[in-house]
Amino acid sequence: MTASMEKWPFQGNQQIIIKDIADITELPNYREQIAAVTDGWVDGPVAAVLRGGSNARSVLDVMAQAGIKEAHIYHLEEKIPQLEEVFLSSVVAPAHTLFDNVNITWRREATIFDLIKSIGSHYNMLFFGAPLAQSEIDPLYKQLRQVYEGSITLVRGPVQDIDFDQGDAIYRWVRERTFEAADFSLPSVLRACKKNLGVKIAIILPSLNEEKTVGNVIKTALEVKDEGVIDDIILIDSNSTDNTIAIAKSHGIPVYQHTEIVPEQGSYRGKGEAMFKSAYVTDADILAWVDTDIETITPRFFYGLLGPMLTHPEIKFSKGYFSRPVRVEATGLELGGGRVTEILARPWINTFSPELSGYIQPLAGTVAIYRDCLLRMRIPANYGVEMAMLVQAVEQASLWSTCQVNLGEVIHKSKGVIGLSEMAFQIIQVMAELKGFHGEQALPNILRRVYSAHGDFKIDAKRFSTVWRNYGT
Ligand SMILES: O=c1ccn([C@@H]2O[C@H](COP(=O)(O)OP(=O)(O)O[C@H]3O[C@H](CO)[C@@H](O)[C@H](O)[C@H]3O)[C@@H](O)[C@H]2O)c(=O)[nH]1
Ligand SMILES: O=C(O)[C@H](O)COP(=O)(O)O
């Protein structure tokens, strides 16, 4: 690695002064401009370690001016929320406007030196905002030198006040409305909050041929019930043909076929239909659904999902997320939301409903909602139900009345690609209808699939009509 001043991509910019580190004492001469001291430019991967504020903001300008398109930014999580706000406003929000790709990592090391020790070897250059006072710059540089061998650049912004109000709303929501199940593991606290709120809670378990996993899911839910955190556990089945029903009954919980619940309202197939009918089998104030195919179920799925709503009365809707390691041949283990999530839901959300882009797993079926919110919703009978609930929960109040919770790792049975394609089609239909994209005309709802093999063609066509249910309230 050879650092060189000659290689700095811009030297003639009057607004950004780049000086060799040896000229560190000259920084105060440039009060109106951005001024940086550096070991020199080195090609290769670069990153910034930023706390926030006008100097951190100026680091972004220097990097962007230097032609960096992909910003890797590391940040030590602040203990004081106001300081975190400064980071969101001065770094996160502008970064998205300056770079094509932004990769921000919140870290929890005790000091930036510990952080740099762990990441330094991946980067040829590291950028930092200069500390507050000129007299602190040289000591900081020396400390950084001890833990990092690459080129160091310290940037000081023009001396001016910055208005930090223009934060990045999504990141702010993510930070304040993303919870950890482990934070709600004290039953006495949850019981006390539940008592204060005066709410009854029902767990609804939707099932369709889940004999392998349903027993364990029920047992785990019963453990949480014994702690007094939930009141009812109800299984709603979609005409399973295996032993699901017998297993559920053997645990002594109420079991329903969704076709038999309020039959006068008709009956449709689908997970959404089972969720819609749930409101008729319980008078609970909070309804929470947990899928019955989860192999890795633990009590925290239940208390984690409910914890944020019990401890933050303003939260009316809670959605679980999980780590779902997917093995990808090219790259090994990748953390992803699931195939439909990554290929359909996330791109769609970022295009048409960017306010929901903070949701890690928008399609997750482990959700809890206040009954009165549910009763005001339109519910599609099919797999579009999770997106429909999420969109409407946010519409009813605001993004801030909704949250997500990390429930740990999920291993569950996976559909084949055709099954996922059908599910994606249902979700597209629902989301397009919610957006009103169909206008006066109905959306085409036939999923046609033409197969070709050795000169022969085969056509499959399947209709997926979206049935919308409502409670007539
Ligand atoms: O008609 C049905 C279909 C499924 N299920 C149950 O619903 C849960 C989830 O169904 P599954 O087919 O395993 O869904 P996934 O393929 O895992 O789909 C994901 O994405 C869907 C769309 O967002 C969500 O509804 C799911 O909960 C979520 O796990 C399981 O307990 C099923 O037994 C029913 O009760 N009735
Ligand atoms: O959430 C999703 O995207 C679907 O449930 C598919 O998940 P999978 O790719 O983990 O099977």
Side-chain angles (χ1 to χ4, degrees), residues 398-416:
S398 75
L399 187 59
W400 287 83
S401 69
T402 73
C403 75
Q404 59 187 345
V405 199
N406 182 8
L407 302 178
E409 187 170 286
V410 154
I411 298 180
H412 65 149
K413 64 175 183 343
S414 274
K415 291 185 169 51

Side-chain angles (χ1 to χ4, degrees), residues 56-110:
R57 173 70 184 80
S58 299
V59 170
L60 301 183
D61 285 324
V62 172
M63 291 170 72
Q65 269 289 311
I68 291 167
K69 300 273 182 250
E70 179 165 331
H72 285 243
I73 298 167
Y74 292 87
H75 171 71
L76 281 189
E77 206 166 30
E78 298 285 357
K79 309 254 174 332
I80 301 170
Q82 288 91 329
L83 292 181
E84 201 56 34
E85 292 281 307
V86 170
F87 175 67
L88 293 177
S89 318
S90 58
V91 175
V92 178
H96 287 286
T97 64
L98 289 168
F99 303 99
D100 293 341
N101 294 313
V102 178
N103 182 307
I104 299 174
T105 311
W106 274 263
R107 300 280 293 232
R108 293 192 172 156
E109 278 90 352

Side-chain angles (χ1 to χ4, degrees), residues 1 41-48 63 68 70-72 74 119-127 148 150-151:
M1 183 202 79
W41 187 265
V42 191
D43 290 327
V46 305
M63 291 170 72
I68 291 167
E70 179 165 331
H72 285 243
Y74 292 87
I119 63 162
S121 61
H122 303 298
Y123 298 102
N124 290 356
M125 291 183 79
L126 287 180
F127 288 75
Y148 179 59
S151 170

Side-chain angles (χ1 to χ4, degrees), residues 206 271-272 275 289-291 293-294 305 317-322 324 336-349 356-368 380 382-391 403-404 407 410 412 415 419-431 434:
K271 187 187 180 214
M275 292 174 80
W289 294 269
V290 175
D291 289 352
D293 64 338
I294 302 170
L305 186 62
F317 174 86
S318 167
K319 186 180 269 285
Y321 75 91
F322 336 92
R324 303 166 63 168
R339 288 165 288 175
V340 181
T341 305
E342 298 302 348
I343 294 168
L344 168 77
R346 208 181 307 288
W348 178 292
I349 282 174
L356 303 181
S357 59
Y359 268 94
I360 296 172
Q361 259 148 39
L363 298 186
T366 302
V367 293
N382 60 19
Y383 278 120
V385 59
E386 318 298 350
M387 278 305 304
M389 269 200 194
L390 176 59
V391 166
C403 75
Q404 59 187 345
L407 302 178
V410 154
H412 65 149
K415 291 185 169 51
L420 292 180
S421 164
E422 293 183 357
M423 183 189 204
F425 190 63
Q426 296 169 42
I427 294 170
I428 289 182
Q429 298 273 318
V430 163
M431 295 200 294
L434 282 172

Side-chain angles (χ1 to χ4, degrees), residues 450-464:
V450 183
Y451 301 88
S452 127
H454 312 297
D456 294 333
F457 290 105
K458 174 175 157 15
I459 295 180
D460 267 354
K462 237 178 169 175
R463 184 184 300 280
F464 291 90

Side-chain angles (χ1 to χ4, degrees), residues 215-429:
N216 196 33
V217 173
I218 296 171
K219 259 193 265 170
T220 314
L222 284 168
E223 269 186 72
V224 183
K225 186 173 182 240
D226 287 346
E227 290 293 340
V229 178
I230 52 186
D231 300 287
D232 294 334
I233 301 167
I234 301 163
L235 185 116
I236 300 195
D237 190 69
S238 299
N239 290 328
S240 291
T241 49
D242 66 0
N243 286 319
T244 300
I245 296 289
I247 294 168
K249 284 188 172 160
S250 74
H251 286 281
I253 63 166
V255 173
Y256 294 89
Q257 284 298 341
H258 73 63
T259 44
E260 289 163 4
I261 305 168
V262 285
E264 65 278 14
Q265 296 217 12
S267 167
Y268 300 91
R269 282 159 55 118
K271 187 187 180 214
E273 177 75 359
M275 292 174 80
F276 169 74
K277 290 278 177 87
S278 307
Y280 294 100
V281 296
T282 174
D283 60 356
D285 307 287
I286 295 178
L287 284 78
W289 294 269
V290 175
D291 289 352
T292 51
D293 64 338
I294 302 170
E295 292 167 33
T296 45
I297 197 90
T298 62
R300 70 170 179 266
F301 273 74
F302 300 91
Y303 61 69
L305 186 62
L306 297 164
M309 288 168 79
L310 292 176
T311 53
H312 296 67
E314 69 280 18
I315 297 181
K316 304 295 180 198
F317 174 86
S318 167
K319 186 180 269 285
Y321 75 91
F322 336 92
S323 64
R324 303 166 63 168
V326 179
R327 200 167 290 286
V328 177
E329 242 171 63
T331 52
L333 274 190
E334 270 193 5
L335 293 180
R339 288 165 288 175
V340 181
T341 305
E342 298 302 348
I343 294 168
L344 168 77
R346 208 181 307 288
W348 178 292
I349 282 174
N350 278 277
T351 310
F352 298 115
S353 301
E355 69 281 7
L356 303 181
S357 59
Y359 268 94
I360 296 172
Q361 259 148 39
L363 298 186
T366 302
V367 293
I369 189 168
Y370 269 87
R371 179 187 194 82
D372 58 332
C373 301
L374 176 69
L375 294 190
R376 281 182 277 142
M377 288 182 176
R378 310 200 275 153
I379 306 288
N382 60 19
Y383 278 120
V385 59
E386 318 298 350
M387 278 305 304
M389 269 200 194
L390 176 59
V391 166
Q392 293 174 86
V394 170
E395 271 172 12
Q396 277 186 9
S398 75
L399 187 59
W400 287 83
S401 69
T402 73
C403 75
Q404 59 187 345
V405 199
N406 182 8
L407 302 178
E409 187 170 286
V410 154
I411 298 180
H412 65 149
K413 64 175 183 343
S414 274
K415 291 185 169 51
V417 79
I418 301 294
L420 292 180
S421 164
E422 293 183 357
M423 183 189 204
F425 190 63
Q426 296 169 42
I427 294 170
I428 289 182
Q429 298 273 318

